[in-house]
Amino acid sequence: MTTSSSNGATPGDEHKSQKLSPSGLPIRAIPGGYGVPFLSPLRDRLDYYYLQGPEAFFRTRIARHGGATVLRVNMPPGPFLARDPRVVALLDARSFRVLLDDAKVDKSGTLDGTFVPSPSLFGGRFPLAFLDAADPRHAQLKRVMISLAVSRMHAVAPAFRAAFGTMFDAVDDSFAVSGKVEFNAHNAVHMLDFTCAALFGGAPPSKAIGADASRKAVKWLAWQLHPLASGVVKPWPLEHLLLHTVRLPPFLVARDYGDLTAYFAAVAAAFLDDHAKKQQSGGPNPVSREELLHNLVFLAIFNAYGGFKIMLPHLVKWLARAGPGLHARLAAEARNGGEDDDVVTLAAIDRNMPLVKSVGWEALRLNPPVEFQYGRAWEDLPFATRDDRVFRRAGEFVPDRFVVAGEDERRRMLEHVVWSNGAETAEAKEGNKQCPGKDMVVAVARLMVAELFRRYDTFDATVVEMPLEPVVTFMSMTKATTKPQFVNHQHDEVAVLFCSCEPRASLIIRGTGHRKG
Ligand code: HEM
């Protein structure tokens, strides 16, 4: 993560190896290197995208330097798109934790790594996620976003149920026509509706903007992320030229962004009014209505929708690979774990569906949807969260991993589930860079698993791994053959445990339930 110039280690470092750090450990030169300026970053870019791929890119460099997991490398996209490609990669769970300390890293402008998109894509000013925690605007905006996320938790399960129902009605219909259905295409449309309904209520984008809504959103995301994508244009030399050489001109997406902004101005009007009122009444938050609006667009489409668009295909991928045995266990839990109502609630999942919860965390551990974290210090999450020194069979999908008897052991593991740019046991605050949507995201992972196996007994899918999200195609789906059986959980034993789906700590209640009816 840190660039060479700022981390202090230089080629003449050998003599420093005799020196000791403030904690008394020997200071060693960081292995790896940056090669010949301009040419080596170009070569590394080709390795990363096409000749090796991201996983082999790091693995070969780790092997070349005797297994070192703290390494100097050139990080793509490099020349013309990023000013300085030189980073130090922290590729193990222990070293990367240093970087979760916001006092030690400067995160300003590092959201997309070494590439910084034009602020004209966001109405002229960089939104919250680009600001360092020490920036005074960060605390002001983060306060508002935390309050939005907390106040809308109640809407997550109903909004997800509605979007999931419409999405899988459409999936079932497509099956009747073609015999196989790409999940990503449906997910891209319906998760945009879900995200906006969960965050603001009101008419979803597919109604208010029209069938074009998700295309506009994805286009705007592409203008920000094209230097990091690959495998979308064929042949690859053409893609390299189009996506990895110069930035796509912002004016070509200005109209789409304008339409999205107009939608949020309407659908979030009550939230914006409320904020304006607080300011008039002398509240402590000097964020203008316009700045807040652009931040809401970014939060909804980049932070939230962009995340769900990547997370759910990964989750379905692991479920597909795990096969019918796991599906049957999940179906039993999802159908028998409800409470009183004919719907899945977050509280019922939390209390009665340990396997559903574990699968959600496990997918987030193995595939943090935001794969790379940068600061002026840099970390690569997949390697860090697949560290054998922390997790048994770290590279494997172990559905039961988090179904453990001891809460201490679960907490120990959750401290290393860090997809949210912080530990799963920590929380987003004004003074840190942790995702304020963390509880919402964990809730969505759980709801997806529970809803899927209430509707279907099992399914089969093919998976093609791609740099941003895997493409998952359903090949067969078997409708549920048993109905949910609601358990009236009588609660006889109460323990206070950590839970990430409800705010902070919650009562986990062990019940001795009996079946209704
Ligand atoms: C699967 C979905 C999501 C994923 C994977 C995700 C992941 C992340 C990550 C990794 C960061 C830190 C970025 C960085 O500083 O490098 C972040 C920040 C952020 N996320 Fe999320 N997020 C998701 C959903 C959400 C949702 C639903 C919300 C809205 C409630 C949200 C709001 C934000 C905001 C506002 C920030 C900036 C925080 C700050 O700068 O302090 N995210 N998210």
Side-chain angles (χ1 to χ4, degrees):
M1 89 104 190
T2 11
T3 59
S4 63
S5 49
S6 59
N7 79 10
T10 59
D13 263 353
E14 291 75 36
H15 70 281
K16 284 192 196 162
S17 62
Q18 308 309 319
K19 290 190 178 170
L20 297 183
S21 74
S23 53
L25 296 170
I27 296 173
R28 287 197 258 152
I30 298 171
Y34 305 115
V36 184
F38 191 77
L39 294 179
S40 297
L42 280 183
R43 165 69 206 217
D44 288 334
R45 177 160 86 192
L46 286 175
D47 273 353
Y48 184 89
Y49 288 123
Y50 304 108
L51 305 179
Q52 296 185 310
E55 177 100 14
F57 178 86
F58 289 115
R59 295 237 177 261
T60 52
R61 282 155 181 78
I62 290 172
R64 202 181 297 156
H65 296 286
T69 49
V70 176
L71 280 175
R72 297 160 187 255
V73 290
N74 290 312
M75 195 59 193
F80 304 132
L81 279 165
R83 248 198 3 222
D84 189 349
R86 296 172 303 167
V87 304
V88 171
L90 306 181
L91 300 164
D92 65 275
R94 191 156 157 229
S95 64
F96 120 88
R97 292 199 77 79
V98 176
L99 308 179
L100 293 183
D101 180 346
D102 287 287
K104 294 201 176 99
V105 288
D106 173 8
K107 298 274 289 178
S108 52
T110 61
L111 183 71
D112 303 333
T114 52
F115 169 69
V116 186
S118 161
S120 57
L121 289 169
F122 321 115
R125 288 186 94 175
F126 283 110
L128 170 61
F130 285 90
L131 307 180
D132 185 58
D135 185 326
R137 273 177 69 223
H138 178 274
Q140 290 154 7
L141 284 163
K142 186 97 182 239
R143 195 177 308 144
V144 183
M145 298 315 188
I146 291 174
S147 79
L148 172 68
V150 170
S151 71
R152 296 298 297 178
M153 270 309 280
H154 72 276
V156 172
F160 189 84
R161 194 178 312 130
F164 177 91
T166 322
M167 172 156 64
F168 279 90
D169 285 350
V171 167
D172 289 345
D173 289 349
S174 306
F175 251 120
V177 179
S178 64
K180 62 177 186 176
V181 182
E182 190 199 291
F183 171 61
N184 303 61
H186 289 275
N187 190 49
V189 171
H190 296 283
M191 278 302 114
L192 182 62
D193 280 358
F194 158 73
T195 302
C196 298
L199 288 171
F200 304 108
S206 65
K207 296 249 152 49
I209 301 177
D212 234 12
S214 63
R215 194 198 53 76
K216 288 175 187 293
V218 171
K219 183 175 166 191
W220 180 62
L221 289 175
W223 253 243
Q224 298 172 57
L225 296 174
H226 67 89
L228 314 180
S230 67
V232 281
V233 179
K234 300 238 162 20
W236 73 259
L238 178 65
E239 172 179 277
H240 204 52
L241 194 69
L242 291 177
L243 302 186
H244 303 150
T245 317
V246 290
R247 56 185 69 220
L248 298 175
F251 78 88
L252 290 178
V253 76
R255 181 184 288 187
D256 304 276
Y257 184 68
D259 292 346
L260 294 166
T261 309
Y263 165 74
F264 284 101
V267 84
F271 186 77
L272 291 162
D273 288 345
D274 192 48
H275 173 80
K277 249 185 251 144
K278 277 187 197 141
Q279 281 200 284
Q280 274 163 14
S281 59
N285 201 340
V287 176
S288 75
R289 188 184 182 101
E290 206 204 336
E291 184 175 5
L292 182 56
L293 172 60
H294 289 297
N295 269 276
L296 293 181
V297 181
F298 193 84
L299 168 130
I301 296 189
F302 187 101
N303 293 129
Y305 169 63
F308 294 134
K309 209 175 145 312
I310 297 171
M311 176 179 83
L312 292 183
H314 278 298
L315 179 60
V316 178
K317 168 187 85 178
W318 289 117
L319 291 169
R321 287 179 178 166
L326 178 66
H327 299 173
R329 291 173 60 210
L330 286 168
E333 199 178 87
R335 292 177 208 170
N336 297 336
E339 290 176 353
D340 301 325
D341 246 332
D342 191 14
V343 292
V344 178
T345 63
L346 294 178
I349 294 178
D350 190 31
R351 285 198 272 261
N352 313 321
M353 302 183 200
L355 184 58
V356 167
K357 287 162 61 174
S358 181
V359 164
W361 276 322
E362 183 67 342
L364 282 163
R365 179 186 74 83
L366 276 170
N367 291 111
V370 178
E371 223 179 346
F372 298 108
Q373 281 300 319
Y374 292 81
R376 233 144 259 108
W378 179 92
E379 69 202 74
D380 170 14
L381 293 184
F383 283 73
T385 64
R386 293 179 181 195
D387 191 331
D388 285 316
R389 285 164 289 194
V390 176
F391 293 104
R392 206 173 38 90
R393 294 158 61 201
E396 288 173 45
F397 179 74
V398 181
D400 298 272
R401 184 181 300 281
F402 297 96
V403 185
V404 288
E407 191 54 25
D408 285 352
E409 174 57 8
R410 181 162 34 238
R411 274 194 79 95
R412 184 196 69 77
M413 288 191 292
L414 288 176
E415 271 169 28
H416 295 278
V417 176
V418 288
W419 65 269
S420 65
N421 197 30
E424 198 65 11
T425 46
E427 59 186 281
K429 295 195 184 113
E430 284 171 27
N432 69 24
K433 289 292 289 175
Q434 190 159 12
C435 173
K438 172 175 153 267
D439 291 349
M440 220 176 248
V441 173
V442 172
V444 168
R446 294 172 176 187
L447 289 165
M448 180 69 185
V449 179
E451 295 285 6
L452 197 59
F453 290 104
R454 281 162 67 94
R455 187 174 171 119
Y456 301 99
D457 277 351
T458 187
F459 67 89
D460 189 25
T462 59
V463 176
V464 180
E465 290 283 8
M466 298 284 277
L468 283 179
E469 63 188 65
V471 178
V472 179
T473 306
F474 292 121
M475 303 305 287
S476 71
M477 305 195 85
T478 309
K479 290 264 176 62
T481 46
T482 58
K483 292 229 169 316
Q485 301 268 318
F486 302 113
V487 176
N488 184 5
H489 294 268
Q490 291 179 341
H491 305 124
D492 66 338
E493 195 174 317
V494 178
V496 179
L497 297 175
F498 167 80
C499 153
S500 80
C501 91
E502 307 292 354
R504 314 320 145 216
S506 72
L507 293 179
I508 302 285
I509 301 163
R510 216 181 72 190
T512 50
H514 64 267
R515 284 191 193 293
K516 265 206 295 191

